[in-house]
Amino acid sequence: MTASSISGPQGLMAPTHDHAAAGLVITGEAVALELKPANVAHRLMSGLLDLAIYGAVSFAILLGLSRLVQNAAHVGILIVVVSVILMVGLPTTVESLTRGLSAGKLAVGLRVVRDDGGPIRFRHALVRAMLGAVEIWVTFGTLAVIVAIINKRGKRLGDLLAGTYAIRVRGSEEAHAPLLMPPDLAAWAELADIRRLPDELGLYARLFLTRTSAMTPQVREQRARMFAASIEPYVSPPPPWGTNPERFVAAVLVARRDREYRAAVAEEARASARADRTHRLPYGIPDMF
């Protein structure tokens, strides 16, 4: 298995095995999102359910408006109106109001999101629906399926133009084991002065440690040395000579995490004590009320 990478802060490369296919999205705020793209089978099931529901709603609308038909011209107009509602109006309205959901997607466990992982808006839903009128209705879904099979994220043409894709909401959680302090570095980490790491550096280093099993030994060692070199300026004294770079990165992240947790707990205790003193009567006056 080979490992590709994505650009990180300050020239860093955050390791991942094809982040687009794996569902790793790094937002503009450096937030890592694990979004698993939906496969073609799931999208097909969701689409068939939606088509059945939209078709039933459109048929009901057609029956309701048929009482207004008086001549052949009215029939043509009615067919056009109902077709537009079926192919564009209903999908756009539903996905806009629900931010990327629909009955079929709820049943299968999917959701449509932007390429950066955010919720879609009206323009995204409209573009998807308008392109869907061609690639789904005109070609009976053939074009949409072919494009989705070729694309790594399972996108159809509407997704490519709108900047969206479908993700799996259920069954996509990926649990990562918590970071543990390497026993051989525990004494050093307890006494070392470890300054706060830049948010992006800490984020990418944490991602690296969760994805080491997907890398070749050469790539894993290269990335470990790179992150260790980037983190070392924030640490004094440096780790013992000959320390494994990957274990050094883990020790720094665990030490920072534990120290920040202890500081937060202490601050909460101080705030609670201050609040207690504020509400206490002075000079031992008993509270009679």
Side-chain angles (χ1 to χ4, degrees):
M1 179 181 295
T2 60
S4 61
S5 56
I6 58 178
S7 297
Q10 303 173 354
L12 294 177
M13 303 297 288
T16 176
H17 50 293
D18 195 350
H19 68 283
L24 177 63
V25 175
I26 305 297
T27 70
E29 295 77 23
V31 178
L33 304 177
E34 291 284 350
L35 305 179
K36 299 297 183 181
N39 58 39
V40 177
H42 288 150
R43 297 202 64 174
L44 186 59
M45 293 172 57
S46 170
L48 290 176
L49 289 172
D50 283 336
L51 291 181
I53 295 173
Y54 294 155
V57 174
S58 299
F59 182 72
I61 295 174
L62 180 63
L63 289 180
L65 296 178
S66 62
R67 292 175 294 182
L68 304 177
V69 174
Q70 299 179 357
N71 52 49
H74 288 172
V75 173
I77 295 174
L78 179 60
I79 292 176
V80 171
V81 170
V82 174
S83 297
V84 172
I85 292 175
L86 172 62
M87 294 185 290
V88 179
L90 287 175
T92 301
T93 302
V94 171
E95 290 191 358
S96 298
L97 295 178
T98 61
R99 293 292 189 264
L101 291 174
S102 65
K105 294 179 182 64
L106 281 173
V108 181
L110 307 182
R111 188 187 194 102
V112 177
V113 298
R114 302 194 308 259
D115 284 341
D116 63 359
I120 67 172
R121 302 185 183 277
F122 172 77
R123 63 182 180 87
H124 302 100
L126 180 61
V127 172
R128 282 172 42 81
M130 292 180 65
L131 267 294
V134 177
E135 60 179 329
I136 296 177
W137 292 97
V138 175
T139 66
F140 299 100
T142 304
L143 181 58
V145 171
I146 293 175
V147 175
I149 292 175
I150 296 174
N151 188 269
K152 292 181 179 180
R153 285 187 173 181
K155 292 187 174 189
R156 58 178 178 86
L157 289 179
D159 291 314
L160 292 172
L161 191 59
T164 60
Y165 71 112
I167 63 171
R168 286 181 290 165
V169 179
R170 294 198 299 267
S172 61
E173 296 82 3
E174 182 177 345
H176 296 300
L179 289 182
L180 300 177
M181 174 65 70
D184 54 314
L185 295 177
W188 165 82
E190 185 67 27
L191 301 176
D193 178 17
I194 304 176
R195 290 185 290 148
R196 179 181 176 86
L197 302 178
D199 291 340
E200 291 185 341
L201 175 57
L203 167 66
Y204 281 99
R206 180 67 176 90
L207 289 175
F208 159 70
L209 293 176
T210 63
R211 295 175 177 273
T212 53
S213 61
M215 303 176 193
T216 61
Q218 295 81 3
V219 172
R220 181 173 179 173
E221 181 180 359
Q222 177 188 2
R223 296 293 186 262
R225 292 184 180 279
M226 178 189 63
F227 279 110
S230 300
I231 291 175
E232 192 168 4
Y234 298 91
V235 178
S236 180
W241 179 259
T243 297
N244 180 280
E246 187 176 323
R247 297 174 71 81
F248 165 66
V249 173
V252 171
L253 293 184
V254 171
R256 284 300 314 173
R257 179 197 65 195
D258 293 346
R259 292 178 186 183
E260 290 175 3
Y261 173 75
R262 289 195 295 265
V265 171
E267 177 58 31
E268 184 177 354
R270 287 192 295 268
S272 178
R274 286 195 298 267
D276 183 64
R277 289 195 300 270
T278 301
H279 293 87
R280 186 183 307 162
L281 291 175
Y283 308 110
I285 299 176
D287 189 354
M288 305 299 296
F289 302 97

